[in-house]
Amino acid sequence: MYKRKDDIKPFESKVWLASPTMHGDEMKFMQEAYETNWMSTVGENINEVERLAAKQSEVNYAVGLSCCTAALHLSIRLAGEKLYGTPPVGHGAVEGKRVFCSDMTFAATINPVLYEGGIPVFIDTERETWNMDPVALEKAFEQYPDVKLVVAAHLYGVPAKLDEIVEICHRHGALFIEDAAESMGATYKGRQTGSFGDYATISYNGNKIITGSSGGCLLTNDKEAASKARKWSTQARENASWYQHTEVGYNYRMSNVIAGVVRGQYPYLYEHIARKKAIWERYKDGFKDLPLQMNPYEEDKAKPNYWLSAIIIDKKAMCKQVRGESKATYEPEPGKSCPTEILEAIASINAEARPIWKPMHMQPMYRMHEFIDREGNGKRRNNDHISIGADIFQRGLCLPSDNKMTPEEQDKIINVVRRCFG
Ligand SMILES: *Cc1c(COP(=O)(O)O)cnc(C)c1O
């Protein structure tokens, strides 16, 4: 267990990984909803969020929903019905079908594939952006040419290798669902993430770059898809004078009160990105003589939104670290460190850091699922430490990246990390 050095005092109020940053307008729009009694899932705030989201993300249509996970679910269903037709009542839209998915991501990227009965096949991660590896994706299509759906996320606000992924999807006639939950405002070759997929999703969850406390949108250029999603999100009620139903629906619509918060946040998106970028750059500068690297991006193509600053420790500077199913141990060593030590060191001064998303192919629930890496290894793998995703998980971590963190607070965090290598 890490022992805090006494000369570095803990922060009086906690420095968070990423917490909501409010500006005042949010209250005004919530208040307006209250005073006009549009306190349900209809109203001016929702209309305005849908308009702002479509404009910001450079797509024709945005559908306001209760969260990004709901948007992913509706995207999977839209894709499934387009590819395979409407399933019988009670069956999933991608039932029994393989779906190629990002491996190193939040579980929310994958869960909706299961809601619709799909079988995720996990595609390994590449080192240049920490997202789905197009080389591994190509290998996956060589093994399973019949697969028609790809779901990929942009981790920590860094755009994936979109040219390659989109080209591979087109060549194999597959639809592409883009999980842009973490990357709102990030661009790839000048275009917004969220505008590349057949369907894409964004999140207003409390720790994202802008927030409504919760909420999300489904993005698409397909008008019919947008209106289907909107209908499904409100219990799939038909256009009749009574409650008429021909298909299954959900209660997924965004609240007009929450939409007020989101509406108030949109004008501050680029201010948030500028602050996050300054944080990332201050870490980069503060660590320049340490044996570690910042989370990378393709400098010639991508502009990240820098949602979270993350680091990866050089192999030669890793002390021994072993992670079980819920606990980790390590052996401190002069000149070396590991994510567990740094996580504990940061926690000891009342600040919040986090491990990298644990790859899906290493999760107990997916141990029997297929995982494909750039060597085309399509065998079922157990909890291994060979894949690129497993390696980034082993050596990487996310640092406090809160918008409201002061340079002085960040310097203290930099010092604490520095000492771990002392
Ligand atoms: C946050 C997040 C989601 C889920 O967003 P919610 O709005 O909380 O449902 C999905 N995918 C990724 C990659 C995320 O980070």
Side-chain angles (χ1 to χ4, degrees):
M1 187 63 201
Y2 180 85
K3 282 220 171 37
R4 184 174 60 79
K5 317 284 186 299
D6 280 338
D7 58 325
I8 301 189
K9 296 267 168 293
F11 297 115
E12 271 177 34
S13 68
K14 186 161 180 169
V15 173
W16 299 96
L17 185 82
S19 73
T21 304
M22 294 294 127
H23 301 275
D25 299 348
E26 301 87 351
M27 195 62 184
K28 189 182 90 192
F29 293 122
M30 281 166 76
Q31 185 98 22
E32 222 168 81
Y34 183 90
E35 278 162 8
T36 56
N37 205 36
W38 289 101
M39 293 296 284
S40 70
T41 52
V42 184
E44 200 41 46
N45 288 334
I46 297 177
N47 299 342
E48 195 52 19
V49 164
E50 290 187 339
R51 191 186 67 80
L52 289 166
K55 183 161 171 258
Q56 169 57 42
S57 300
E58 299 171 345
V59 295
N60 292 342
Y61 306 99
V63 181
L65 299 167
S66 55
C67 61
C68 176
T69 310
L72 283 159
H73 184 190
L74 298 183
S75 298
I76 301 284
R77 184 166 163 196
L78 283 167
E81 295 206 0
K82 185 163 180 181
L83 292 165
Y84 310 116
T86 308
V89 174
H91 290 262
V94 290
E95 202 166 287
K97 310 285 188 199
R98 287 189 174 84
V99 178
F100 294 151
C101 298
S102 285
D103 177 57
M104 196 173 82
T105 182
F106 187 31
T109 310
I110 315 301
N111 282 334
V113 174
L114 274 75
Y115 300 166
E116 290 299 324
I119 305 165
V121 173
F122 299 110
I123 309 298
D124 200 9
T125 307
E126 38 80 3
R127 296 195 185 278
E128 289 80 37
T129 78
W130 295 6
N131 291 302
M132 180 186 277
D133 184 353
V135 178
L137 180 62
E138 185 66 53
K139 295 279 184 200
F141 274 112
E142 281 170 22
Q143 288 186 43
Y144 297 112
D146 295 342
V147 169
K148 290 285 171 255
L149 186 56
V150 174
V151 183
H154 304 291
L155 216 66
Y156 306 134
V158 175
K161 295 192 172 183
L162 282 164
D163 270 352
E164 292 88 338
I165 290 173
V166 168
E167 188 275 324
I168 292 169
C169 288
H170 281 173
R171 188 152 38 79
H172 293 277
L175 295 177
F176 173 38
I177 296 177
E178 198 188 352
D179 180 357
E182 302 180 0
S183 67
M184 193 196 299
T187 58
Y188 183 85
K189 288 180 152 178
R191 243 175 85 192
Q192 291 289 322
T193 56
S195 69
F196 290 81
D198 295 280
Y199 314 102
T201 64
I202 47 176
S203 173
Y204 309 117
N205 168 314
N207 67 12
K208 297 297 185 332
I209 192 101
I210 60 169
T211 182
S213 72
S214 63
C217 279
L218 181 151
L219 311 172
T220 182
N221 289 321
D222 178 345
K223 186 175 186 181
E224 200 190 330
S227 56
K228 265 193 203 169
R230 202 170 278 119
K231 174 189 164 194
W232 292 341
S233 76
T234 50
Q235 307 287 17
R237 200 179 159 181
E238 297 298 328
N239 192 9
S241 49
W242 47 80
Y243 287 87
Q244 178 85 357
H245 297 281
T246 61
E247 54 185 350
V248 70
Y250 319 91
N251 185 3
Y252 278 174
R253 192 72 169 135
M254 180 181 275
S255 143
N256 192 53
V257 180
I258 282 180
V261 185
V262 177
R263 184 180 177 184
Q265 287 263 289
Y266 258 103
Y268 298 94
L269 173 62
Y270 287 99
E271 189 182 310
H272 289 192
I273 293 174
R275 288 197 212 176
K276 295 276 192 185
K277 184 177 183 190
I279 290 167
W280 190 93
E281 282 174 346
R282 197 175 185 86
Y283 277 131
K284 188 180 163 82
D285 190 52
F287 295 146
K288 59 174 183 271
D289 55 334
L290 291 186
L292 58 82
Q293 315 300 322
M294 297 300 295
N295 52 330
Y297 62 96
E298 293 185 289
E299 286 173 31
D300 54 334
K301 290 182 184 154
K303 280 199 167 64
N305 71 4
Y306 301 92
W307 174 55
L308 291 189
S309 291
I311 54 172
I312 180 162
I313 299 169
D314 295 350
K315 274 187 186 142
K316 62 175 179 9
M318 277 284 291
C319 67
K320 203 174 202 183
Q321 169 189 252
V322 178
R323 281 176 166 151
E325 283 310 332
S326 60
K327 287 202 177 68
T329 58
Y330 67 97
E331 279 174 25
E333 214 183 308
K336 297 187 177 184
S337 189
C338 63
T340 305
E341 182 178 36
I342 297 173
L343 289 165
E344 288 180 3
I346 290 173
S348 80
I349 58 161
N350 197 24
E352 187 187 27
R354 288 214 191 145
I356 299 295
W357 299 126
K358 181 173 174 174
M360 290 298 132
H361 80 279
M362 297 168 72
Q363 301 288 354
M365 71 178 288
Y366 293 124
R367 288 240 165 99
M368 298 308 284
H369 280 248
E370 284 158 306
F371 169 72
I372 299 178
D373 65 15
R374 50 168 54 202
E375 271 82 57
N377 187 341
K379 294 201 186 70
R380 291 183 171 148
R381 282 201 183 187
N382 289 327
N383 187 359
D384 65 78
H385 293 276
I386 307 160
S387 69
I388 294 172
D391 181 46
I392 297 172
F393 175 62
Q394 175 74 2
R395 297 191 286 125
L397 74 148
C398 299
L399 296 168
S401 308
D402 196 70
N403 275 330
K404 297 169 294 309
M405 178 168 63
T406 65
E408 295 71 33
E409 286 170 329
Q410 194 178 350
D411 285 345
K412 202 152 133 173
I413 288 157
I414 290 169
N415 273 334
V416 165
V417 174
R418 179 171 290 285
R419 285 203 176 181
C420 290
F421 291 93

